Amino acid sequence: MQYMPVTQSMFLIAETRDQPMHVGGLQLFIPREGQTAEELAEELHESFVAATDIQETFLKRPASPANLAGYTAWQLAHDIDFDYHVRRAILPRPGEIKNLLQYVSLNHGALLDRSRPMWEVHIIEGLADGRVALYTKVHHSLVDGVTALRMLQRTLTTDPDDRTGTAFWDNEILRRRKKKPRAPKPQKSLLSKVTGAVGSAVGIADDLVGIAPAAAKVAVTGVLDRDFVAPLQQAPNTLLNVPIGSARRFAAQDWPTDRLRDAARRHHITFNDVLIAMCSGALRRYLDDNDGLPDDSLTACLPVSLHSEGSGDGNSITAILVRMATDIADPADRLREITASTTSAKIVVRGLKPLQSLALGAANVWPLAFAPVPGFVDFTPRGFNLMISSVPGPEEVQYWNGAQLDGCYPVSIPMEGLAMNITITTVGGKANFGITGARAQLPRLQRILDHLETALTELEEIEPIHLAQ
Amino acid sequence: MQYMPVTQSMFLIAETRDQPMHVGGLQLFIPREGQTAEELAEELHESFVAATDIQETFLKRPASPANLAGYTAWQLAHDIDFDYHVRRAILPRPGEIKNLLQYVSLNHGALLDRSRPMWEVHIIEGLADGRVALYTKVHHSLVDGVTALRMLQRTLTTDPDDRTGTAFWDNEILRRRKKKPRAPKPQKSLLSKVTGAVGSAVGIADDLVGIAPAAAKVAVTGVLDRDFVAPLQQAPNTLLNVPIGSARRFAAQDWPTDRLRDAARRHHITFNDVLIAMCSGALRRYLDDNDGLPDDSLTACLPVSLHSEGSGDGNSITAILVRMATDIADPADRLREITASTTSAKIVVRGLKPLQSLALGAANVWPLAFAPVPGFVDFTPRGFNLMISSVPGPEEVQYWNGAQLDGCYPVSIPMEGLAMNITITTVGGKANFGITGARAQLPRLQRILDHLETALTELEEIEPIHLAQ
């Protein structure tokens, strides 16, 4: 048995039937020249179930007994029941993207089985445009978003003639790829780049020995430390901040990174500020559509990766809080306010030691551990209204056995009191937005995609802002 | 809000992520002359989502707050999100029955969302033989097996030219069918027929006001009553009686009821005795295959319906315990022992007043309420090893808009400590066995289908037994 650090067990402890704690990824592939979607799906399936040397992450399950005192250890499964973990599906007609998003929505609400390794992959055919989709679901106690993206990239290559594609849980791929010229590594988180984020955080998780509720203990660690900068403030009540059911909605769309970079250059702001400004404008309109725009600004929680060279798979992350300025109607004024907020939030992280950064992240999110308690969500002041994550990947076009990756959308975790999650991955020249929401609580979620486009257009059209700094 | 009686809330209280408490049904339809599977699936879907006047059972969800003090009330939803509740699916190639059973296995392990009405229907295409499947999933707090079958039958008719088929949640169908010659009603439970079961039990559920754990309270009621016949005895430990994960296996097959009736006539035993003898022989072989046949006989728990004319939808059920005689190798001796056991068990029920019958059922199953507590399953003596339910339906061939019902298999509930459930429906001249098992704990579950055939053949070949009575 392996020791389970608090940064992993907190995701098991916080999980309920209404708040599944798995992250997901939706990848779209274009079959190579002369190959049908059916043939690509068969090739993926054959290759996936052929793996015999499975990476440890994909063998891990919580050791039992598992219900009362929390989780403190991992067990490794001896083998994998591939019929269970690798699933085939064909979309119902007409095989539009909305059918695919519906499939992901319906499956993302279902809990993973804790008595077996906590992941699933769905190979999905039936898209009328001939592409094949892969929907991957992994428990958040095993991976964070950066790691998940890194894992999905592992089996991809920039060489369209490469035919050594295998499953991302296959140890063979790691050995084989090491002998070849290295595939480009994912860039460091854009946010962490800007903040000069903490490179020595690897292994810190192991220092934090957990008791239930684990997250609360981390929060206490933070508060008792003299150097700790407490970020808690009150965010307004919105329709994003309500108890939720387990059913989900999923919306996804991509924008060219070049277009976003041009907007960043125009205003002398970061790429990440552009992402946040798009989300801010879109949320302002979405809430207004639904008669739910609060007088005060929304606050977003932005996870910051602490991954560095040589760190293994797993969770390594902290978080900062940013004012979204959704109370400001004028797009230029709103952008100024957002940029001022991201700048000051960065300073908080930069001034902290590694352990403190981790504790800060946990302090920002610790109320989540109590969210499943009835009444807590409705009556407790909250520090933020939603989480927005940005996960950067490689810039080059990627292939799996010659099939081109044509989209890589994150499917993340709404929680009690946090009915919407926005995650953005940048891969192969595209910024892929994945918006995951609680189904009953967030009607017409697809419309937020139009609002994101509108917000970006605004950034492109307003006069360049002049920051007072 | 509606009051929720203990016989309903106990299924919500006992539910965990590893022990979903929904019942399921798998129906197969042959498209009518000249109709493709695709057309039938479209017709079913259009008709299902067109319903505007929804029956109350399909609007019910537990009132919140829902986690701490148990469930004591139902709320009615205002409308139905049909995109969520009515799902379309196409099976992966080659579209064999095993692909369909795999689909049902994977979906039957997923919990229903408690924040919305607790049911789903999946319209499934892609069977190579051209049939269309309907997989229906309803929470056990809303219906028992008899009610579920009655509901599925509601929209069917014996008239192949009838084109008024609609959804079984459509109030329209009840009104329309009342004006026409009545469709044949399901027969009374065969077991309850034999035992002369309690016709006046309707409304009893409302007398039993629940506190958590509800089932335990009912058990106490029973034990304190002077007239109560306590059936608890110790059943052996087997591989059926272990903690389980949420993943499922599902096996299904049908036999002609005429063949089973001939066997019953041959031995002067009931139809139900034949079902139990088949299960006994099959379980003996299955356990032996897996090196797990205990020295003592398995005990089965048989739910007995208390439904009577005019009772509404809902749960109304008790249970008896039967010795399966799996310790006896000789088929004739085994059959004698089984018949003796079912006869004496019947007397227990016949001698009881209605409220006592209900309490008896609850007393037999009350340890289930505690099964999710770690260690309970492994260290607590148990009263029985598995549940076997028989749910009789109409004898005539049934149609939906001219499409013939060609199989109606129950998909039931394995639980902590009860890794296998066998349910049999008799409809249109077929006895449909549905065997639902915990995936990780019950390997090669499909083989039990061959063992059922072997056990039936034995009954047909041995000399008629002579009962000493």
Side-chain angles (χ1 to χ4, degrees), chain A residues 168-207:
Chain A
F168 49 83
W169 53 84
D170 189 351
N171 266 326
E172 181 58 31
I173 191 76
L174 293 184
R175 281 192 295 272
R176 201 190 300 149
R177 289 279 151 88
K178 271 177 193 156
K179 293 178 201 148
K180 304 198 322 173
R182 292 179 68 167
K185 293 200 61 163
Q187 305 170 331
K188 287 180 75 176
S189 157
L190 287 167
L191 195 56
S192 70
K193 248 201 240 174
V194 175
T195 59
V198 208
S200 57
V202 180
I204 286 176
D206 299 329
D207 300 333

Side-chain angles (χ1 to χ4, degrees), chain A residues 74-95:
Chain A
W74 290 111
Q75 275 179 334
L76 296 185
H78 299 300
D79 53 17
I80 293 293
D81 173 4
F82 280 119
D83 279 351
Y84 183 84
H85 292 276
V86 181
R87 306 183 177 191
R88 303 288 296 269
I90 301 181
L91 294 176
R93 288 170 305 280

Side-chain angles (χ1 to χ4, degrees), chain B residues 118-167:
Chain B
M118 296 170 74
W119 59 278
E120 292 169 12
V121 173
H122 301 233
I123 302 169
I124 306 164
E125 298 168 66
L127 277 170
D129 61 21
R131 290 184 292 181
V132 173
L134 275 190
Y135 164 59
T136 306
K137 190 169 160 181
V138 186
H139 202 270
H140 204 345
S141 57
L142 293 173
V143 294
D144 62 36
V146 172
T147 308
L149 189 67
R150 225 183 244 188
M151 287 187 327
L152 292 178
Q153 298 296 341
R154 244 180 220 158
T155 56
L156 305 181
T157 161
T158 53
D159 176 6
D161 297 322
D162 180 293
R163 292 293 180 275
T164 62
T166 174

Side-chain angles (χ1 to χ4, degrees), chain B residues 292-367:
Chain B
L293 184 64
D295 292 339
D296 292 335
S297 168
L298 263 58
T299 298
C301 174
L302 279 59
V304 181
S305 171
L306 299 180
H307 283 274
S308 60
E309 294 289 325
S311 68
D313 293 345
N315 282 303
S316 189
I317 207 155
T318 185
I320 61 172
L321 298 181
V322 168
R323 232 178 109 77
M324 298 285 285
T326 50
D327 53 333
I328 301 175
D330 181 71
D333 289 345
R334 197 184 322 132
L335 184 58
R336 272 184 212 98
E337 174 94 5
I338 289 168
T339 313
S341 179
T342 55
T343 308
S344 66
K346 284 165 202 162
I347 291 166
V348 171
V349 175
R350 199 186 290 140
L352 294 175
K353 288 175 285 185
L355 185 59
Q356 288 169 332
S357 298
L358 197 64
L360 173 69
N364 281 345
V365 299
W366 76 264

Side-chain angles (χ1 to χ4, degrees), chain A residues 121-143:
Chain A
V121 174
H122 301 233
I123 303 169
I124 306 164
E125 297 167 66
L127 276 169
D129 61 22
R131 291 184 291 181
V132 172
L134 276 190
Y135 163 60
T136 306
K137 189 169 159 181
V138 186
H139 201 271
H140 204 345
S141 57
L142 294 172
V143 294

Side-chain angles (χ1 to χ4, degrees), chain A residues 260-338:
Chain A
L260 275 63
R261 266 189 239 295
D262 286 346
R265 216 171 287 123
R266 170 184 176 81
H267 294 290
H268 294 280
I269 57 178
T270 67
F271 184 83
N272 223 52
D273 288 340
V274 173
L275 296 179
I276 296 168
M278 285 175 70
C279 294
S280 168
L283 281 166
R284 192 180 142 82
R285 281 188 182 77
Y286 177 75
L287 290 173
D288 202 33
D289 283 350
N290 291 284
D291 296 325
L293 183 64
D295 291 339
D296 292 336
S297 168
L298 263 59
T299 298
C301 175
L302 278 59
V304 181
S305 170
L306 299 180
H307 282 274
S308 61
E309 293 289 325
S311 68
D313 293 343
N315 281 305
S316 189
I317 208 156
T318 185
I320 61 172
L321 298 183
V322 169
R323 233 179 109 77
M324 298 287 285
T326 49
D327 53 333
I328 300 176
D330 180 72
D333 289 346
R334 198 184 321 133
L335 183 58
R336 270 184 212 99
E337 173 94 5
I338 289 167

Side-chain angles (χ1 to χ4, degrees), chain A residues 17 81 83 102 112 439, chain B residues 17 81 83 102 112 439:
Chain A
R17 64 185 296 150
D81 173 4
D83 279 351
Q102 167 82 340
L112 288 162
R439 188 176 187 91
Chain B
R17 62 186 296 149
D81 173 5
D83 279 351
Q102 167 82 342
L112 288 163
R439 187 175 187 92

